[in-house]
């Protein structure tokens, strides 16, 4: 949903998952210019693969559970919003959960590299056509394997 910041009135509402299937929205929505980006998940409910494009890598404070889905994280090395120091704790969390995971780092790449028009240099946000192309190729290969 989107609410008007001044009035609280509903501006729009979209159902993002099939309500007949066990999916959840596990990622906090992100606003990039005129787009809202969400993360649908459900690795504990039969999901076979999860892809994170420039996602939050901070370890969860939830009780650890095994991760059954394959995990692919695509990250910009120069991402100021998700610092490189968060990578090691993320990979440890994946190992501790027994996940089948991959982590791809794109050099010279900032946050929101997959989102055209997301150029906010003062926040460390920039679209990268090269990294976006590589990210999509990697994600498609990963999903083909996950659903083979």
């Amino acid at each position: 949903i989107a609410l008007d910041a001044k009035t609280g009135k509903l501006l729009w509402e979209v159902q993002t998952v099939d309500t007949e299937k066990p999916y959840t929205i596990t990622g906090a929505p992100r606003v990039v210019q005129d787009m809202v980006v969400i993360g649908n998940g459900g690795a504990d409910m039969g999901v076979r693969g999860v892809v994170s494009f420039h996602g939050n890598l901070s370890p969860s404070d939830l009780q650890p559970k095994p991760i059954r889905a394959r995990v692919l994280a695509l990250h910009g090395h120069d991402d100021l919003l998700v610092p490189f120091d968060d990578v090691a704790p993320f990979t440890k969390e994946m190992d501790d959960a027994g996940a089948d995971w991959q982590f791809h780092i794109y050099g010279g790449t900032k946050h929101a590299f997959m989102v055209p028009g997301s150029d906010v240099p003062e926040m460390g946000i920039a679209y990268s056509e090269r990294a976006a192309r590589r990210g999509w190729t990697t994600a498609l290969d990963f999903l083909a394997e996950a659903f083979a």
Side-chain angles (χ1 to χ4, degrees):
I1 65 170
L3 303 176
D4 183 287
K6 293 180 183 171
T7 67
K9 287 181 64 177
L10 180 69
L11 297 175
W12 53 261
E13 181 176 7
V14 176
Q15 180 62 43
T16 64
V17 296
D18 182 342
T19 59
E20 300 299 314
K21 295 183 179 172
Y23 296 116
T24 56
I25 297 176
T26 57
R30 304 267 202 291
V31 176
V32 179
Q33 294 193 1
D34 63 347
M35 294 180 288
V36 177
V37 181
I38 62 166
N40 292 344
D44 57 332
M45 301 178 210
V47 173
R48 295 168 72 180
V50 177
V51 180
S52 169
F53 297 98
H54 38 75
N56 180 359
L57 302 177
S58 299
S60 168
D61 60 355
L62 299 174
Q63 192 68 358
K65 290 184 179 180
I67 296 176
R68 294 179 189 91
R70 292 176 173 107
V71 177
L72 170 62
L74 306 172
H75 186 69
H77 184 267
D78 300 332
D79 187 330
L80 301 178
L81 300 177
V82 183
F84 198 69
D85 290 346
D86 289 354
V87 173
F90 171 80
T91 60
K92 181 180 181 333
E93 186 174 30
M94 293 295 102
D95 283 341
D96 290 349
D100 175 1
W101 62 273
Q102 298 178 43
F103 194 91
H104 293 242
I105 302 168
Y106 300 103
T109 303
K110 300 183 182 311
H111 193 77
F113 62 86
M114 296 288 294
V115 184
S118 62
D119 296 313
V120 188
E122 64 275 11
M123 293 182 64
I125 296 172
Y127 170 68
S128 168
E129 183 178 353
R130 180 182 62 212
R133 185 176 56 252
R134 290 174 177 172
W136 277 121
T137 299
T138 302
L140 292 173
D141 288 347
F142 170 84
L143 292 171
E145 178 185 308
F147 292 99

mmCIF file with all atom_site columns, all heavy atoms in Angstrom, residues 56-62 85-93:
data_model
loop_
_atom_site.group_PDB
_atom_site.id
_atom_site.type_symbol
_atom_site.label_atom_id
_atom_site.label_alt_id
_atom_site.label_comp_id
_atom_site.label_asym_id
_atom_site.label_entity_id
_atom_site.label_seq_id
_atom_site.pdbx_PDB_ins_code
_atom_site.Cartn_x
_atom_site.Cartn_y
_atom_site.Cartn_z
_atom_site.occupancy
_atom_site.B_iso_or_equiv
_atom_site.pdbx_formal_charge
_atom_site.auth_seq_id
_atom_site.auth_comp_id
_atom_site.auth_asym_id
_atom_site.auth_atom_id
_atom_site.pdbx_PDB_model_num
ATOM 1   N N   . ASN A 1 56 ? 19.869 -5.662  1.821  1.00 0.00 ? 56 ASN A N   1
ATOM 2   C CA  . ASN A 1 56 ? 20.418 -5.484  3.166  1.00 0.00 ? 56 ASN A CA  1
ATOM 3   C C   . ASN A 1 56 ? 21.082 -6.793  3.587  1.00 0.00 ? 56 ASN A C   1
ATOM 4   O O   . ASN A 1 56 ? 20.472 -7.846  3.534  1.00 0.00 ? 56 ASN A O   1
ATOM 5   C CB  . ASN A 1 56 ? 19.289 -5.117  4.124  1.00 0.00 ? 56 ASN A CB  1
ATOM 6   C CG  . ASN A 1 56 ? 19.752 -4.904  5.535  1.00 0.00 ? 56 ASN A CG  1
ATOM 7   O OD1 . ASN A 1 56 ? 20.934 -5.048  5.852  1.00 0.00 ? 56 ASN A OD1 1
ATOM 8   N ND2 . ASN A 1 56 ? 18.824 -4.566  6.401  1.00 0.00 ? 56 ASN A ND2 1
ATOM 9   N N   . LEU A 1 57 ? 22.320 -6.727  4.028  1.00 0.00 ? 57 LEU A N   1
ATOM 10  C CA  . LEU A 1 57 ? 23.055 -7.930  4.418  1.00 0.00 ? 57 LEU A CA  1
ATOM 11  C C   . LEU A 1 57 ? 23.177 -8.072  5.928  1.00 0.00 ? 57 LEU A C   1
ATOM 12  O O   . LEU A 1 57 ? 23.796 -9.020  6.403  1.00 0.00 ? 57 LEU A O   1
ATOM 13  C CB  . LEU A 1 57 ? 24.465 -7.907  3.813  1.00 0.00 ? 57 LEU A CB  1
ATOM 14  C CG  . LEU A 1 57 ? 24.552 -7.808  2.301  1.00 0.00 ? 57 LEU A CG  1
ATOM 15  C CD1 . LEU A 1 57 ? 26.001 -7.730  1.873  1.00 0.00 ? 57 LEU A CD1 1
ATOM 16  C CD2 . LEU A 1 57 ? 23.850 -8.981  1.645  1.00 0.00 ? 57 LEU A CD2 1
ATOM 17  N N   . SER A 1 58 ? 22.617 -7.148  6.684  1.00 0.00 ? 58 SER A N   1
ATOM 18  C CA  . SER A 1 58 ? 22.748 -7.195  8.138  1.00 0.00 ? 58 SER A CA  1
ATOM 19  C C   . SER A 1 58 ? 22.188 -8.499  8.679  1.00 0.00 ? 58 SER A C   1
ATOM 20  O O   . SER A 1 58 ? 21.102 -8.920  8.296  1.00 0.00 ? 58 SER A O   1
ATOM 21  C CB  . SER A 1 58 ? 22.003 -6.032  8.784  1.00 0.00 ? 58 SER A CB  1
ATOM 22  O OG  . SER A 1 58 ? 22.531 -4.813  8.342  1.00 0.00 ? 58 SER A OG  1
ATOM 23  N N   . PRO A 1 59 ? 22.931 -9.143  9.589  1.00 0.00 ? 59 PRO A N   1
ATOM 24  C CA  . PRO A 1 59 ? 22.425 -10.392 10.167 1.00 0.00 ? 59 PRO A CA  1
ATOM 25  C C   . PRO A 1 59 ? 21.099 -10.169 10.889 1.00 0.00 ? 59 PRO A C   1
ATOM 26  O O   . PRO A 1 59 ? 20.863 -9.119  11.473 1.00 0.00 ? 59 PRO A O   1
ATOM 27  C CB  . PRO A 1 59 ? 23.516 -10.809 11.151 1.00 0.00 ? 59 PRO A CB  1
ATOM 28  C CG  . PRO A 1 59 ? 24.739 -10.089 10.703 1.00 0.00 ? 59 PRO A CG  1
ATOM 29  C CD  . PRO A 1 59 ? 24.259 -8.813  10.088 1.00 0.00 ? 59 PRO A CD  1
ATOM 30  N N   . SER A 1 60 ? 20.280 -11.168 10.843 1.00 0.00 ? 60 SER A N   1
ATOM 31  C CA  . SER A 1 60 ? 18.983 -11.128 11.504 1.00 0.00 ? 60 SER A CA  1
ATOM 32  C C   . SER A 1 60 ? 19.159 -11.381 12.994 1.00 0.00 ? 60 SER A C   1
ATOM 33  O O   . SER A 1 60 ? 20.060 -12.103 13.408 1.00 0.00 ? 60 SER A O   1
ATOM 34  C CB  . SER A 1 60 ? 18.082 -12.208 10.901 1.00 0.00 ? 60 SER A CB  1
ATOM 35  O OG  . SER A 1 60 ? 16.949 -12.387 11.684 1.00 0.00 ? 60 SER A OG  1
ATOM 36  N N   . ASP A 1 61 ? 18.287 -10.797 13.795 1.00 0.00 ? 61 ASP A N   1
ATOM 37  C CA  . ASP A 1 61 ? 18.303 -11.096 15.225 1.00 0.00 ? 61 ASP A CA  1
ATOM 38  C C   . ASP A 1 61 ? 17.280 -12.178 15.569 1.00 0.00 ? 61 ASP A C   1
ATOM 39  O O   . ASP A 1 61 ? 17.033 -12.468 16.730 1.00 0.00 ? 61 ASP A O   1
ATOM 40  C CB  . ASP A 1 61 ? 18.078 -9.836  16.063 1.00 0.00 ? 61 ASP A CB  1
ATOM 41  C CG  . ASP A 1 61 ? 16.749 -9.154  15.767 1.00 0.00 ? 61 ASP A CG  1
ATOM 42  O OD1 . ASP A 1 61 ? 16.039 -9.599  14.845 1.00 0.00 ? 61 ASP A OD1 1
ATOM 43  O OD2 . ASP A 1 61 ? 16.433 -8.176  16.460 1.00 0.00 ? 61 ASP A OD2 1
ATOM 44  N N   . LEU A 1 62 ? 16.699 -12.783 14.520 1.00 0.00 ? 62 LEU A N   1
ATOM 45  C CA  . LEU A 1 62 ? 15.741 -13.872 14.721 1.00 0.00 ? 62 LEU A CA  1
ATOM 46  C C   . LEU A 1 62 ? 16.481 -15.162 15.047 1.00 0.00 ? 62 LEU A C   1
ATOM 47  O O   . LEU A 1 62 ? 17.663 -15.314 14.752 1.00 0.00 ? 62 LEU A O   1
ATOM 48  C CB  . LEU A 1 62 ? 14.897 -14.071 13.461 1.00 0.00 ? 62 LEU A CB  1
ATOM 49  C CG  . LEU A 1 62 ? 14.051 -12.881 13.031 1.00 0.00 ? 62 LEU A CG  1
ATOM 50  C CD1 . LEU A 1 62 ? 13.389 -13.170 11.697 1.00 0.00 ? 62 LEU A CD1 1
ATOM 51  C CD2 . LEU A 1 62 ? 13.010 -12.549 14.088 1.00 0.00 ? 62 LEU A CD2 1
ATOM 52  N N   . ASP A 1 85 ? 31.751 -4.271  4.976  1.00 0.00 ? 85 ASP A N   1
ATOM 53  C CA  . ASP A 1 85 ? 31.950 -4.946  6.266  1.00 0.00 ? 85 ASP A CA  1
ATOM 54  C C   . ASP A 1 85 ? 30.799 -5.877  6.629  1.00 0.00 ? 85 ASP A C   1
ATOM 55  O O   . ASP A 1 85 ? 30.952 -6.746  7.485  1.00 0.00 ? 85 ASP A O   1
ATOM 56  C CB  . ASP A 1 85 ? 32.136 -3.927  7.391  1.00 0.00 ? 85 ASP A CB  1
ATOM 57  C CG  . ASP A 1 85 ? 33.457 -3.187  7.297  1.00 0.00 ? 85 ASP A CG  1
ATOM 58  O OD1 . ASP A 1 85 ? 34.345 -3.622  6.532  1.00 0.00 ? 85 ASP A OD1 1
ATOM 59  O OD2 . ASP A 1 85 ? 33.603 -2.161  7.993  1.00 0.00 ? 85 ASP A OD2 1
ATOM 60  N N   . ASP A 1 86 ? 29.625 -5.705  5.992  1.00 0.00 ? 86 ASP A N   1
ATOM 61  C CA  . ASP A 1 86 ? 28.475 -6.568  6.260  1.00 0.00 ? 86 ASP A CA  1
ATOM 62  C C   . ASP A 1 86 ? 28.560 -7.909  5.536  1.00 0.00 ? 86 ASP A C   1
ATOM 63  O O   . ASP A 1 86 ? 27.772 -8.814  5.813  1.00 0.00 ? 86 ASP A O   1
ATOM 64  C CB  . ASP A 1 86 ? 27.170 -5.876  5.855  1.00 0.00 ? 86 ASP A CB  1
ATOM 65  C CG  . ASP A 1 86 ? 26.785 -4.732  6.778  1.00 0.00 ? 86 ASP A CG  1
ATOM 66  O OD1 . ASP A 1 86 ? 27.459 -4.541  7.806  1.00 0.00 ? 86 ASP A OD1 1
ATOM 67  O OD2 . ASP A 1 86 ? 25.808 -4.029  6.464  1.00 0.00 ? 86 ASP A OD2 1
ATOM 68  N N   . VAL A 1 87 ? 29.510 -8.056  4.596  1.00 0.00 ? 87 VAL A N   1
ATOM 69  C CA  . VAL A 1 87 ? 29.585 -9.277  3.782  1.00 0.00 ? 87 VAL A CA  1
ATOM 70  C C   . VAL A 1 87 ? 29.966 -10.492 4.628  1.00 0.00 ? 87 VAL A C   1
ATOM 71  O O   . VAL A 1 87 ? 29.305 -11.538 4.563  1.00 0.00 ? 87 VAL A O   1
ATOM 72  C CB  . VAL A 1 87 ? 30.566 -9.103  2.598  1.00 0.00 ? 87 VAL A CB  1
ATOM 73  C CG1 . VAL A 1 87 ? 30.766 -10.425 1.862  1.00 0.00 ? 87 VAL A CG1 1
ATOM 74  C CG2 . VAL A 1 87 ? 30.047 -8.034  1.650  1.00 0.00 ? 87 VAL A CG2 1
ATOM 75  N N   . ALA A 1 88 ? 31.018 -10.389 5.434  1.00 0.00 ? 88 ALA A N   1
ATOM 76  C CA  . ALA A 1 88 ? 31.474 -11.550 6.222  1.00 0.00 ? 88 ALA A CA  1
ATOM 77  C C   . ALA A 1 88 ? 30.393 -12.047 7.191  1.00 0.00 ? 88 ALA A C   1
ATOM 78  O O   . ALA A 1 88 ? 30.142 -13.262 7.241  1.00 0.00 ? 88 ALA A O   1
ATOM 79  C CB  . ALA A 1 88 ? 32.763 -11.229 6.961  1.00 0.00 ? 88 ALA A CB  1
ATOM 80  N N   . PRO A 1 89 ? 29.710 -11.176 7.948  1.00 0.00 ? 89 PRO A N   1
ATOM 81  C CA  . PRO A 1 89 ? 28.636 -11.676 8.809  1.00 0.00 ? 89 PRO A CA  1
ATOM 82  C C   . PRO A 1 89 ? 27.493 -12.328 8.016  1.00 0.00 ? 89 PRO A C   1
ATOM 83  O O   . PRO A 1 89 ? 26.908 -13.312 8.461  1.00 0.00 ? 89 PRO A O   1
ATOM 84  C CB  . PRO A 1 89 ? 28.141 -10.429 9.547  1.00 0.00 ? 89 PRO A CB  1
ATOM 85  C CG  . PRO A 1 89 ? 29.281 -9.477  9.505  1.00 0.00 ? 89 PRO A CG  1
ATOM 86  C CD  . PRO A 1 89 ? 29.986 -9.757  8.210  1.00 0.00 ? 89 PRO A CD  1
ATOM 87  N N   . PHE A 1 90 ? 27.206 -11.784 6.819  1.00 0.00 ? 90 PHE A N   1
ATOM 88  C CA  . PHE A 1 90 ? 26.161 -12.374 5.976  1.00 0.00 ? 90 PHE A CA  1
ATOM 89  C C   . PHE A 1 90 ? 26.549 -13.786 5.549  1.00 0.00 ? 90 PHE A C   1
ATOM 90  O O   . PHE A 1 90 ? 25.758 -14.726 5.650  1.00 0.00 ? 90 PHE A O   1
ATOM 91  C CB  . PHE A 1 90 ? 25.916 -11.498 4.747  1.00 0.00 ? 90 PHE A CB  1
ATOM 92  C CG  . PHE A 1 90 ? 25.016 -12.140 3.724  1.00 0.00 ? 90 PHE A CG  1
ATOM 93  C CD1 . PHE A 1 90 ? 23.644 -12.141 3.892  1.00 0.00 ? 90 PHE A CD1 1
ATOM 94  C CD2 . PHE A 1 90 ? 25.546 -12.760 2.603  1.00 0.00 ? 90 PHE A CD2 1
ATOM 95  C CE1 . PHE A 1 90 ? 22.811 -12.744 2.950  1.00 0.00 ? 90 PHE A CE1 1
ATOM 96  C CE2 . PHE A 1 90 ? 24.733 -13.355 1.659  1.00 0.00 ? 90 PHE A CE2 1
ATOM 97  C CZ  . PHE A 1 90 ? 23.357 -13.346 1.835  1.00 0.00 ? 90 PHE A CZ  1
ATOM 98  N N   . THR A 1 91 ? 27.795 -13.955 5.074  1.00 0.00 ? 91 THR A N   1
ATOM 99  C CA  . THR A 1 91 ? 28.206 -15.278 4.614  1.00 0.00 ? 91 THR A CA  1
ATOM 100 C C   . THR A 1 91 ? 28.267 -16.267 5.782  1.00 0.00 ? 91 THR A C   1
ATOM 101 O O   . THR A 1 91 ? 27.933 -17.439 5.612  1.00 0.00 ? 91 THR A O   1
ATOM 102 C CB  . THR A 1 91 ? 29.561 -15.227 3.875  1.00 0.00 ? 91 THR A CB  1
ATOM 103 O OG1 . THR A 1 91 ? 30.567 -14.728 4.742  1.00 0.00 ? 91 THR A OG1 1
ATOM 104 C CG2 . THR A 1 91 ? 29.473 -14.349 2.633  1.00 0.00 ? 91 THR A CG2 1
ATOM 105 N N   . LYS A 1 92 ? 28.641 -15.798 6.965  1.00 0.00 ? 92 LYS A N   1
ATOM 106 C CA  . LYS A 1 92 ? 28.627 -16.668 8.149  1.00 0.00 ? 92 LYS A CA  1
ATOM 107 C C   . LYS A 1 92 ? 27.197 -17.107 8.465  1.00 0.00 ? 92 LYS A C   1
ATOM 108 O O   . LYS A 1 92 ? 26.942 -18.272 8.763  1.00 0.00 ? 92 LYS A O   1
ATOM 109 C CB  . LYS A 1 92 ? 29.239 -15.966 9.356  1.00 0.00 ? 92 LYS A CB  1
ATOM 110 C CG  . LYS A 1 92 ? 29.254 -16.853 10.607 1.00 0.00 ? 92 LYS A CG  1
ATOM 111 C CD  . LYS A 1 92 ? 29.859 -16.148 11.790 1.00 0.00 ? 92 LYS A CD  1
ATOM 112 C CE  . LYS A 1 92 ? 29.918 -16.981 13.050 1.00 0.00 ? 92 LYS A CE  1
ATOM 113 N NZ  . LYS A 1 92 ? 28.956 -18.033 13.240 1.00 0.00 ? 92 LYS A NZ  1
ATOM 114 N N   . GLU A 1 93 ? 26.260 -16.153 8.386  1.00 0.00 ? 93 GLU A N   1
ATOM 115 C CA  . GLU A 1 93 ? 24.859 -16.492 8.641  1.00 0.00 ? 93 GLU A CA  1
ATOM 116 C C   . GLU A 1 93 ? 24.358 -17.535 7.636  1.00 0.00 ? 93 GLU A C   1
ATOM 117 O O   . GLU A 1 93 ? 23.640 -18.466 8.005  1.00 0.00 ? 93 GLU A O   1
ATOM 118 C CB  . GLU A 1 93 ? 23.990 -15.230 8.589  1.00 0.00 ? 93 GLU A CB  1
ATOM 119 C CG  . GLU A 1 93 ? 22.551 -15.478 8.991  1.00 0.00 ? 93 GLU A CG  1
ATOM 120 C CD  . GLU A 1 93 ? 21.730 -14.204 9.066  1.00 0.00 ? 93 GLU A CD  1
ATOM 121 O OE1 . GLU A 1 93 ? 22.011 -13.237 8.332  1.00 0.00 ? 93 GLU A OE1 1
ATOM 122 O OE2 . GLU A 1 93 ? 20.774 -14.194 9.866  1.00 0.00 ? 93 GLU A OE2 1
#
